[in-house]
Amino acid sequence: MNFYRPLHYISGEYVFTTDASSFSRFSALMVQNGFNFWGTRYEEGNVLFCVSVFSAERVYNLSSAASVPIEIVAKKGLPFVFSRYRKRYGMLLGLVVGLFLLFWSQLFAWKITVSGNVGIKTEEIERALAECGISVGCFIPKIDTVNDSNRLLMNCRGLSSAALSINGTHIYLSVLERKDIPEIYNSNGFFNVVASRDGVIIDVNAADGTPEVNEGDVVYEGELLINSFIAGKNGSFRPTHARGKVYAAVSESFDIEIPLSRVTKNITGNTQTRCIYTVLGKEMPRLSDDESDYEYFDAVVTERTVKLFGFIELPIKEKRIFYSEYIPIKRDISESDAEKYAYGELDALIAEVDLELLSCESYCITDKEKGVCKLVANAVFKQDIAKEVPFEILNYSISERLESALE
């Protein structure tokens, strides 16, 4: 690789040609006079060579004095590029405006990067940051990193610490999430633990109090599970704040109906694409709206950052909406397909319960008069049914009790 080539292009060079028979004598004269030349090559009886723009006039005068005819073949380099376009004022104006816009764009935020968050979504933090006036396209000189970090903590209560930093047009936000304080056990008052619903006891773990049920017992809603009174010395009992976990097998019933006639999509193959561009957080005007011309369609939305030459990120976001047309068609489905749809919905409902599934019994029946397939299911889950209930101990004497009993 010729490392001098970029320098020659920047400073500019002339390409001369002369007769091959005269070049040996003329090249010796140029060396004797201290002129540098390069790029020598033979071409159809002539020799081409290059000299810099600074010595081209003197080389030409030397050829005249030595009676060696030379001609200019080409002019290369930036000086000649500028000279070629010196009268194209529109291009020069566009270059000046482009350079000004490039400088002006450096005063605005191109990208925001959030790090350190785990439980809080990045989108939620960015919305809170936008309420503080910091978003893509905001004016960087107006950002006060210290005060804006404190304002962010006021807007997003889930954060305990936030630090803003600016590197060029890139804003970095490093956060720490707030840790919830551990649940403090309140030992005040007297509580019993009762069943919050019907079930069969699986496991009893009493942290305080006396268990009143055992594994395998059937309990009903409101039944006592952990007694507040604990046996002490000499056959005495003392009340306390009963607490603990009591796991039981509980039942849930599901009734699902699937119509035997369903609407399906017939894909036509027609597609449309709409693009929305956002520059520095501002949406650019469009010639047409982003709505589809189809009556029935599926839409897929993608978003990307526009990159120059594939690796230089620009403050331009492209939102692309891809529409695919379909025609709704009503058709009958078989009983086996209806059962598959029903069991699919059952799986989704069981997942929503968010409890450990112990067992599930189900069956399907088809009602052709109503045109439905009905799924009946009974699922058994493992659930903590312990519920703390407060009570009071009345403080009065035995004589008062006898008097009230006599009355």
Side-chain angles (χ1 to χ4, degrees), residues 4-34:
Y4 291 101
R5 182 174 298 176
L7 298 178
H8 294 156
Y9 181 79
I10 294 174
S11 61
E13 61 184 8
Y14 281 87
V15 180
F16 289 100
T17 182
T18 185
D19 186 76
S21 59
S22 305
F23 179 72
S24 60
R25 181 170 64 87
F26 186 64
S27 62
L29 289 174
M30 286 192 292
V31 172
Q32 291 176 2
N33 288 270

PDB file of all heavy atoms in Angstrom, residues 4-34:
ATOM      1  N   TYR A   4       1.808   7.398   0.714  1.00  0.00           N
ATOM      2  CA  TYR A   4       1.851   8.784   0.263  1.00  0.00           C
ATOM      3  C   TYR A   4       0.647   9.158  -0.594  1.00  0.00           C
ATOM      4  O   TYR A   4       0.419  10.333  -0.861  1.00  0.00           O
ATOM      5  CB  TYR A   4       3.142   9.037  -0.545  1.00  0.00           C
ATOM      6  CG  TYR A   4       4.384   8.997   0.301  1.00  0.00           C
ATOM      7  CD1 TYR A   4       5.187   7.871   0.316  1.00  0.00           C
ATOM      8  CD2 TYR A   4       4.754  10.093   1.087  1.00  0.00           C
ATOM      9  CE1 TYR A   4       6.329   7.819   1.096  1.00  0.00           C
ATOM     10  CE2 TYR A   4       5.894  10.056   1.868  1.00  0.00           C
ATOM     11  CZ  TYR A   4       6.681   8.916   1.869  1.00  0.00           C
ATOM     12  OH  TYR A   4       7.797   8.881   2.652  1.00  0.00           O
ATOM     13  N   ARG A   5      -0.102   8.157  -1.058  1.00  0.00           N
ATOM     14  CA  ARG A   5      -1.224   8.441  -1.943  1.00  0.00           C
ATOM     15  C   ARG A   5      -2.259   9.358  -1.296  1.00  0.00           C
ATOM     16  O   ARG A   5      -2.722  10.319  -1.938  1.00  0.00           O
ATOM     17  CB  ARG A   5      -1.876   7.133  -2.397  1.00  0.00           C
ATOM     18  CG  ARG A   5      -3.042   7.319  -3.361  1.00  0.00           C
ATOM     19  CD  ARG A   5      -3.557   5.999  -3.894  1.00  0.00           C
ATOM     20  NE  ARG A   5      -2.511   5.307  -4.648  1.00  0.00           N
ATOM     21  CZ  ARG A   5      -2.667   4.091  -5.165  1.00  0.00           C
ATOM     22  NH1 ARG A   5      -3.797   3.423  -4.981  1.00  0.00           N
ATOM     23  NH2 ARG A   5      -1.686   3.528  -5.849  1.00  0.00           N
ATOM     24  N   PRO A   6      -2.696   9.133  -0.010  1.00  0.00           N
ATOM     25  CA  PRO A   6      -3.660  10.074   0.602  1.00  0.00           C
ATOM     26  C   PRO A   6      -3.107  11.494   0.690  1.00  0.00           C
ATOM     27  O   PRO A   6      -3.849  12.463   0.508  1.00  0.00           O
ATOM     28  CB  PRO A   6      -3.905   9.474   1.985  1.00  0.00           C
ATOM     29  CG  PRO A   6      -3.557   8.033   1.853  1.00  0.00           C
ATOM     30  CD  PRO A   6      -2.432   7.991   0.876  1.00  0.00           C
ATOM     31  N   LEU A   7      -1.770  11.638   0.948  1.00  0.00           N
ATOM     32  CA  LEU A   7      -1.172  12.979   1.016  1.00  0.00           C
ATOM     33  C   LEU A   7      -1.184  13.646  -0.350  1.00  0.00           C
ATOM     34  O   LEU A   7      -1.468  14.854  -0.459  1.00  0.00           O
ATOM     35  CB  LEU A   7       0.261  12.877   1.549  1.00  0.00           C
ATOM     36  CG  LEU A   7       0.407  12.318   2.982  1.00  0.00           C
ATOM     37  CD1 LEU A   7       1.868  12.218   3.355  1.00  0.00           C
ATOM     38  CD2 LEU A   7      -0.345  13.213   3.976  1.00  0.00           C
ATOM     39  N   HIS A   8      -0.888  12.881  -1.358  1.00  0.00           N
ATOM     40  CA  HIS A   8      -0.920  13.445  -2.717  1.00  0.00           C
ATOM     41  C   HIS A   8      -2.341  13.858  -3.093  1.00  0.00           C
ATOM     42  O   HIS A   8      -2.530  14.882  -3.770  1.00  0.00           O
ATOM     43  CB  HIS A   8      -0.392  12.417  -3.724  1.00  0.00           C
ATOM     44  CG  HIS A   8       1.055  12.100  -3.526  1.00  0.00           C
ATOM     45  ND1 HIS A   8       1.614  10.905  -3.961  1.00  0.00           N
ATOM     46  CD2 HIS A   8       2.060  12.794  -2.923  1.00  0.00           C
ATOM     47  CE1 HIS A   8       2.906  10.897  -3.647  1.00  0.00           C
ATOM     48  NE2 HIS A   8       3.192  12.014  -3.005  1.00  0.00           N
ATOM     49  N   TYR A   9      -3.331  13.087  -2.641  1.00  0.00           N
ATOM     50  CA  TYR A   9      -4.713  13.440  -2.982  1.00  0.00           C
ATOM     51  C   TYR A   9      -5.132  14.715  -2.258  1.00  0.00           C
ATOM     52  O   TYR A   9      -5.848  15.549  -2.826  1.00  0.00           O
ATOM     53  CB  TYR A   9      -5.651  12.283  -2.597  1.00  0.00           C
ATOM     54  CG  TYR A   9      -7.103  12.547  -2.930  1.00  0.00           C
ATOM     55  CD1 TYR A   9      -7.573  12.390  -4.235  1.00  0.00           C
ATOM     56  CD2 TYR A   9      -7.991  12.977  -1.946  1.00  0.00           C
ATOM     57  CE1 TYR A   9      -8.897  12.657  -4.540  1.00  0.00           C
ATOM     58  CE2 TYR A   9      -9.312  13.242  -2.246  1.00  0.00           C
ATOM     59  CZ  TYR A   9      -9.766  13.073  -3.542  1.00  0.00           C
ATOM     60  OH  TYR A   9     -11.078  13.341  -3.843  1.00  0.00           O
ATOM     61  N   ILE A  10      -4.686  14.867  -1.029  1.00  0.00           N
ATOM     62  CA  ILE A  10      -5.058  16.072  -0.264  1.00  0.00           C
ATOM     63  C   ILE A  10      -4.387  17.316  -0.841  1.00  0.00           C
ATOM     64  O   ILE A  10      -5.024  18.362  -1.015  1.00  0.00           O
ATOM     65  CB  ILE A  10      -4.691  15.886   1.223  1.00  0.00           C
ATOM     66  CG1 ILE A  10      -5.537  14.772   1.841  1.00  0.00           C
ATOM     67  CG2 ILE A  10      -4.895  17.183   1.992  1.00  0.00           C
ATOM     68  CD1 ILE A  10      -5.151  14.419   3.256  1.00  0.00           C
ATOM     69  N   SER A  11      -3.096  17.207  -1.140  1.00  0.00           N
ATOM     70  CA  SER A  11      -2.370  18.382  -1.654  1.00  0.00           C
ATOM     71  C   SER A  11      -2.588  18.616  -3.146  1.00  0.00           C
ATOM     72  O   SER A  11      -2.448  19.746  -3.630  1.00  0.00           O
ATOM     73  CB  SER A  11      -0.868  18.210  -1.394  1.00  0.00           C
ATOM     74  OG  SER A  11      -0.373  17.055  -2.059  1.00  0.00           O
ATOM     75  N   GLY A  12      -2.974  17.567  -3.886  1.00  0.00           N
ATOM     76  CA  GLY A  12      -3.213  17.694  -5.327  1.00  0.00           C
ATOM     77  C   GLY A  12      -1.972  17.357  -6.141  1.00  0.00           C
ATOM     78  O   GLY A  12      -0.839  17.514  -5.677  1.00  0.00           O
ATOM     79  N   GLU A  13      -2.180  16.892  -7.382  1.00  0.00           N
ATOM     80  CA  GLU A  13      -1.068  16.509  -8.251  1.00  0.00           C
ATOM     81  C   GLU A  13      -1.467  16.676  -9.713  1.00  0.00           C
ATOM     82  O   GLU A  13      -2.645  16.602 -10.071  1.00  0.00           O
ATOM     83  CB  GLU A  13      -0.645  15.060  -7.979  1.00  0.00           C
ATOM     84  CG  GLU A  13      -1.746  14.038  -8.236  1.00  0.00           C
ATOM     85  CD  GLU A  13      -1.338  12.610  -7.880  1.00  0.00           C
ATOM     86  OE1 GLU A  13      -0.266  12.432  -7.306  1.00  0.00           O
ATOM     87  OE2 GLU A  13      -2.126  11.690  -8.173  1.00  0.00           O
ATOM     88  N   TYR A  14      -0.430  16.928 -10.547  1.00  0.00           N
ATOM     89  CA  TYR A  14      -0.595  17.000 -12.004  1.00  0.00           C
ATOM     90  C   TYR A  14      -0.017  15.724 -12.613  1.00  0.00           C
ATOM     91  O   TYR A  14       1.024  15.231 -12.171  1.00  0.00           O
ATOM     92  CB  TYR A  14       0.147  18.199 -12.586  1.00  0.00           C
ATOM     93  CG  TYR A  14      -0.581  19.519 -12.419  1.00  0.00           C
ATOM     94  CD1 TYR A  14      -0.418  20.274 -11.265  1.00  0.00           C
ATOM     95  CD2 TYR A  14      -1.417  19.996 -13.425  1.00  0.00           C
ATOM     96  CE1 TYR A  14      -1.062  21.486 -11.116  1.00  0.00           C
ATOM     97  CE2 TYR A  14      -2.072  21.219 -13.288  1.00  0.00           C
ATOM     98  CZ  TYR A  14      -1.884  21.956 -12.128  1.00  0.00           C
ATOM     99  OH  TYR A  14      -2.537  23.160 -11.989  1.00  0.00           O
ATOM    100  N   VAL A  15      -0.699  15.210 -13.650  1.00  0.00           N
ATOM    101  CA  VAL A  15      -0.203  14.058 -14.392  1.00  0.00           C
ATOM    102  C   VAL A  15       0.261  14.569 -15.765  1.00  0.00           C
ATOM    103  O   VAL A  15      -0.550  15.082 -16.550  1.00  0.00           O
ATOM    104  CB  VAL A  15      -1.278  12.970 -14.552  1.00  0.00           C
ATOM    105  CG1 VAL A  15      -0.704  11.785 -15.328  1.00  0.00           C
ATOM    106  CG2 VAL A  15      -1.789  12.527 -13.190  1.00  0.00           C
ATOM    107  N   PHE A  16       1.582  14.444 -16.034  1.00  0.00           N
ATOM    108  CA  PHE A  16       2.177  14.873 -17.300  1.00  0.00           C
ATOM    109  C   PHE A  16       2.504  13.649 -18.144  1.00  0.00           C
ATOM    110  O   PHE A  16       2.692  12.542 -17.632  1.00  0.00           O
ATOM    111  CB  PHE A  16       3.468  15.663 -17.063  1.00  0.00           C
ATOM    112  CG  PHE A  16       3.243  17.029 -16.474  1.00  0.00           C
ATOM    113  CD1 PHE A  16       3.429  17.254 -15.115  1.00  0.00           C
ATOM    114  CD2 PHE A  16       2.859  18.093 -17.283  1.00  0.00           C
ATOM    115  CE1 PHE A  16       3.245  18.505 -14.571  1.00  0.00           C
ATOM    116  CE2 PHE A  16       2.669  19.355 -16.748  1.00  0.00           C
ATOM    117  CZ  PHE A  16       2.855  19.568 -15.384  1.00  0.00           C
ATOM    118  N   THR A  17       2.604  13.879 -19.470  1.00  0.00           N
ATOM    119  CA  THR A  17       3.042  12.839 -20.401  1.00  0.00           C
ATOM    120  C   THR A  17       4.106  13.425 -21.327  1.00  0.00           C
ATOM    121  O   THR A  17       4.074  14.614 -21.684  1.00  0.00           O
ATOM    122  CB  THR A  17       1.859  12.302 -21.218  1.00  0.00           C
ATOM    123  OG1 THR A  17       2.336  11.257 -22.078  1.00  0.00           O
ATOM    124  CG2 THR A  17       1.206  13.375 -22.056  1.00  0.00           C
ATOM    125  N   THR A  18       5.066  12.610 -21.699  1.00  0.00           N
ATOM    126  CA  THR A  18       6.122  13.013 -22.629  1.00  0.00           C
ATOM    127  C   THR A  18       6.551  11.801 -23.434  1.00  0.00           C
ATOM    128  O   THR A  18       6.213  10.663 -23.105  1.00  0.00           O
ATOM    129  CB  THR A  18       7.325  13.606 -21.871  1.00  0.00           C
ATOM    130  OG1 THR A  18       8.270  14.090 -22.830  1.00  0.00           O
ATOM    131  CG2 THR A  18       7.988  12.576 -20.977  1.00  0.00           C
ATOM    132  N   ASP A  19       7.326  12.047 -24.465  1.00  0.00           N
ATOM    133  CA  ASP A  19       7.801  10.960 -25.316  1.00  0.00           C
ATOM    134  C   ASP A  19       8.777  10.083 -24.545  1.00  0.00           C
ATOM    135  O   ASP A  19       9.611  10.574 -23.769  1.00  0.00           O
ATOM    136  CB  ASP A  19       8.479  11.542 -26.569  1.00  0.00           C
ATOM    137  CG  ASP A  19       8.849  10.462 -27.556  1.00  0.00           C
ATOM    138  OD1 ASP A  19       7.937   9.961 -28.247  1.00  0.00           O
ATOM    139  OD2 ASP A  19      10.026  10.102 -27.585  1.00  0.00           O
ATOM    140  N   ALA A  20       8.676   8.771 -24.757  1.00  0.00           N
ATOM    141  CA  ALA A  20       9.506   7.835 -24.008  1.00  0.00           C
ATOM    142  C   ALA A  20      10.983   8.050 -24.282  1.00  0.00           C
ATOM    143  O   ALA A  20      11.832   7.841 -23.396  1.00  0.00           O
ATOM    144  CB  ALA A  20       9.096   6.399 -24.339  1.00  0.00           C
ATOM    145  N   SER A  21      11.352   8.455 -25.499  1.00  0.00           N
ATOM    146  CA  SER A  21      12.758   8.653 -25.844  1.00  0.00           C
ATOM    147  C   SER A  21      13.359   9.860 -25.128  1.00  0.00           C
ATOM    148  O   SER A  21      14.577   9.916 -24.923  1.00  0.00           O
ATOM    149  CB  SER A  21      12.897   8.822 -27.365  1.00  0.00           C
ATOM    150  OG  SER A  21      12.133   9.937 -27.806  1.00  0.00           O
ATOM    151  N   SER A  22      12.516  10.823 -24.740  1.00  0.00           N
ATOM    152  CA  SER A  22      13.008  12.033 -24.073  1.00  0.00           C
ATOM    153  C   SER A  22      12.906  11.952 -22.563  1.00  0.00           C
ATOM    154  O   SER A  22      13.442  12.821 -21.867  1.00  0.00           O
ATOM    155  CB  SER A  22      12.220  13.263 -24.571  1.00  0.00           C
ATOM    156  OG  SER A  22      12.272  13.373 -25.958  1.00  0.00           O
ATOM    157  N   PHE A  23      12.242  10.950 -22.029  1.00  0.00           N
ATOM    158  CA  PHE A  23      11.964  10.937 -20.587  1.00  0.00           C
ATOM    159  C   PHE A  23      13.215  10.688 -19.757  1.00  0.00           C
ATOM    160  O   PHE A  23      13.369  11.259 -18.678  1.00  0.00           O
ATOM    161  CB  PHE A  23      10.915   9.864 -20.260  1.00  0.00           C
ATOM    162  CG  PHE A  23      10.606   9.786 -18.794  1.00  0.00           C
ATOM    163  CD1 PHE A  23       9.867  10.783 -18.171  1.00  0.00           C
ATOM    164  CD2 PHE A  23      11.072   8.726 -18.021  1.00  0.00           C
ATOM    165  CE1 PHE A  23       9.598  10.717 -16.820  1.00  0.00           C
ATOM    166  CE2 PHE A  23      10.811   8.657 -16.667  1.00  0.00           C
ATOM    167  CZ  PHE A  23      10.061   9.650 -16.053  1.00  0.00           C
ATOM    168  N   SER A  24      14.120   9.829 -20.255  1.00  0.00           N
ATOM    169  CA  SER A  24      15.324   9.533 -19.465  1.00  0.00           C
ATOM    170  C   SER A  24      16.143  10.796 -19.241  1.00  0.00           C
ATOM    171  O   SER A  24      16.626  11.051 -18.129  1.00  0.00           O
ATOM    172  CB  SER A  24      16.155   8.457 -20.158  1.00  0.00           C
ATOM    173  OG  SER A  24      16.548   8.886 -21.457  1.00  0.00           O
ATOM    174  N   ARG A  25      16.317  11.632 -20.297  1.00  0.00           N
ATOM    175  CA  ARG A  25      17.089  12.871 -20.151  1.00  0.00           C
ATOM    176  C   ARG A  25      16.350  13.865 -19.284  1.00  0.00           C
ATOM    177  O   ARG A  25      16.924  14.499 -18.396  1.00  0.00           O
ATOM    178  CB  ARG A  25      17.358  13.470 -21.544  1.00  0.00           C
ATOM    179  CG  ARG A  25      18.174  14.760 -21.503  1.00  0.00           C
ATOM    180  CD  ARG A  25      18.592  15.156 -22.894  1.00  0.00           C
ATOM    181  NE  ARG A  25      17.457  15.474 -23.740  1.00  0.00           N
ATOM    182  CZ  ARG A  25      16.896  16.706 -23.801  1.00  0.00           C
ATOM    183  NH1 ARG A  25      17.373  17.683 -23.088  1.00  0.00           N
ATOM    184  NH2 ARG A  25      15.879  16.904 -24.618  1.00  0.00           N
ATOM    185  N   PHE A  26      15.016  13.948 -19.447  1.00  0.00           N
ATOM    186  CA  PHE A  26      14.236  14.931 -18.672  1.00  0.00           C
ATOM    187  C   PHE A  26      14.127  14.525 -17.196  1.00  0.00           C
ATOM    188  O   PHE A  26      14.150  15.379 -16.307  1.00  0.00           O
ATOM    189  CB  PHE A  26      12.835  15.079 -19.279  1.00  0.00           C
ATOM    190  CG  PHE A  26      12.019  16.152 -18.647  1.00  0.00           C
ATOM    191  CD1 PHE A  26      12.413  17.485 -18.733  1.00  0.00           C
ATOM    192  CD2 PHE A  26      10.870  15.853 -17.944  1.00  0.00           C
ATOM    193  CE1 PHE A  26      11.663  18.484 -18.140  1.00  0.00           C
ATOM    194  CE2 PHE A  26      10.116  16.835 -17.352  1.00  0.00           C
ATOM    195  CZ  PHE A  26      10.502  18.166 -17.448  1.00  0.00           C
ATOM    196  N   SER A  27      14.040  13.228 -16.935  1.00  0.00           N
ATOM    197  CA  SER A  27      13.976  12.793 -15.549  1.00  0.00           C
ATOM    198  C   SER A  27      15.274  13.110 -14.814  1.00  0.00           C
ATOM    199  O   SER A  27      15.271  13.466 -13.624  1.00  0.00           O
ATOM    200  CB  SER A  27      13.684  11.291 -15.469  1.00  0.00           C
ATOM    201  OG  SER A  27      14.724  10.541 -16.095  1.00  0.00           O
ATOM    202  N   ALA A  28      16.431  12.996 -15.534  1.00  0.00           N
ATOM    203  CA  ALA A  28      17.706  13.350 -14.921  1.00  0.00           C
ATOM    204  C   ALA A  28      17.744  14.839 -14.597  1.00  0.00           C
ATOM    205  O   ALA A  28      18.262  15.248 -13.547  1.00  0.00           O
ATOM    206  CB  ALA A  28      18.853  12.952 -15.844  1.00  0.00           C
ATOM    207  N   LEU A  29      17.206  15.667 -15.495  1.00  0.00           N
ATOM    208  CA  LEU A  29      17.173  17.103 -15.242  1.00  0.00           C
ATOM    209  C   LEU A  29      16.294  17.431 -14.022  1.00  0.00           C
ATOM    210  O   LEU A  29      16.636  18.301 -13.215  1.00  0.00           O
ATOM    211  CB  LEU A  29      16.637  17.832 -16.483  1.00  0.00           C
ATOM    212  CG  LEU A  29      17.570  17.874 -17.696  1.00  0.00           C
ATOM    213  CD1 LEU A  29      16.846  18.495 -18.891  1.00  0.00           C
ATOM    214  CD2 LEU A  29      18.833  18.661 -17.372  1.00  0.00           C
ATOM    215  N   MET A  30      15.157  16.727 -13.863  1.00  0.00           N
ATOM    216  CA  MET A  30      14.283  16.990 -12.715  1.00  0.00           C
ATOM    217  C   MET A  30      14.963  16.603 -11.415  1.00  0.00           C
ATOM    218  O   MET A  30      14.849  17.309 -10.401  1.00  0.00           O
ATOM    219  CB  MET A  30      12.965  16.210 -12.879  1.00  0.00           C
ATOM    220  CG  MET A  30      12.033  16.792 -13.924  1.00  0.00           C
ATOM    221  SD  MET A  30      10.367  16.081 -13.860  1.00  0.00           S
ATOM    222  CE  MET A  30      10.714  14.410 -14.386  1.00  0.00           C
ATOM    223  N   VAL A  31      15.737  15.511 -11.428  1.00  0.00           N
ATOM    224  CA  VAL A  31      16.456  15.115 -10.214  1.00  0.00           C
ATOM    225  C   VAL A  31      17.526  16.121  -9.870  1.00  0.00           C
ATOM    226  O   VAL A  31      17.732  16.483  -8.699  1.00  0.00           O
ATOM    227  CB  VAL A  31      17.040  13.700 -10.388  1.00  0.00           C
ATOM    228  CG1 VAL A  31      17.952  13.338  -9.219  1.00  0.00           C
ATOM    229  CG2 VAL A  31      15.927  12.673 -10.532  1.00  0.00           C
ATOM    230  N   GLN A  32      18.253  16.625 -10.909  1.00  0.00           N
ATOM    231  CA  GLN A  32      19.301  17.606 -10.670  1.00  0.00           C
ATOM    232  C   GLN A  32      18.740  18.906 -10.096  1.00  0.00           C
ATOM    233  O   GLN A  32      19.386  19.560  -9.283  1.00  0.00           O
ATOM    234  CB  GLN A  32      20.047  17.897 -11.981  1.00  0.00           C
ATOM    235  CG  GLN A  32      20.884  16.726 -12.479  1.00  0.00           C
ATOM    236  CD  GLN A  32      21.524  17.017 -13.831  1.00  0.00           C
ATOM    237  OE1 GLN A  32      21.384  18.127 -14.395  1.00  0.00           O
ATOM    238  NE2 GLN A  32      22.240  16.022 -14.383  1.00  0.00           N
ATOM    239  N   ASN A  33      17.517  19.278 -10.471  1.00  0.00           N
ATOM    240  CA  ASN A  33      16.902  20.515  -9.982  1.00  0.00           C
ATOM    241  C   ASN A  33      16.057  20.313  -8.717  1.00  0.00           C
ATOM    242  O   ASN A  33      15.419  21.270  -8.244  1.00  0.00           O
ATOM    243  CB  ASN A  33      16.024  21.130 -11.084  1.00  0.00           C
ATOM    244  CG  ASN A  33      16.848  21.732 -12.204  1.00  0.00           C
ATOM    245  OD1 ASN A  33      17.210  22.906 -12.172  1.00  0.00           O
ATOM    246  ND2 ASN A  33      17.154  20.917 -13.218  1.00  0.00           N
ATOM    247  N   GLY A  34      16.063  19.099  -8.179  1.00  0.00           N
ATOM    248  CA  GLY A  34      15.373  18.850  -6.906  1.00  0.00           C
ATOM    249  C   GLY A  34      13.865  18.705  -7.016  1.00  0.00           C
ATOM    250  O   GLY A  34      13.153  18.963  -6.033  1.00  0.00           O
TER     251      GLY A  34
END
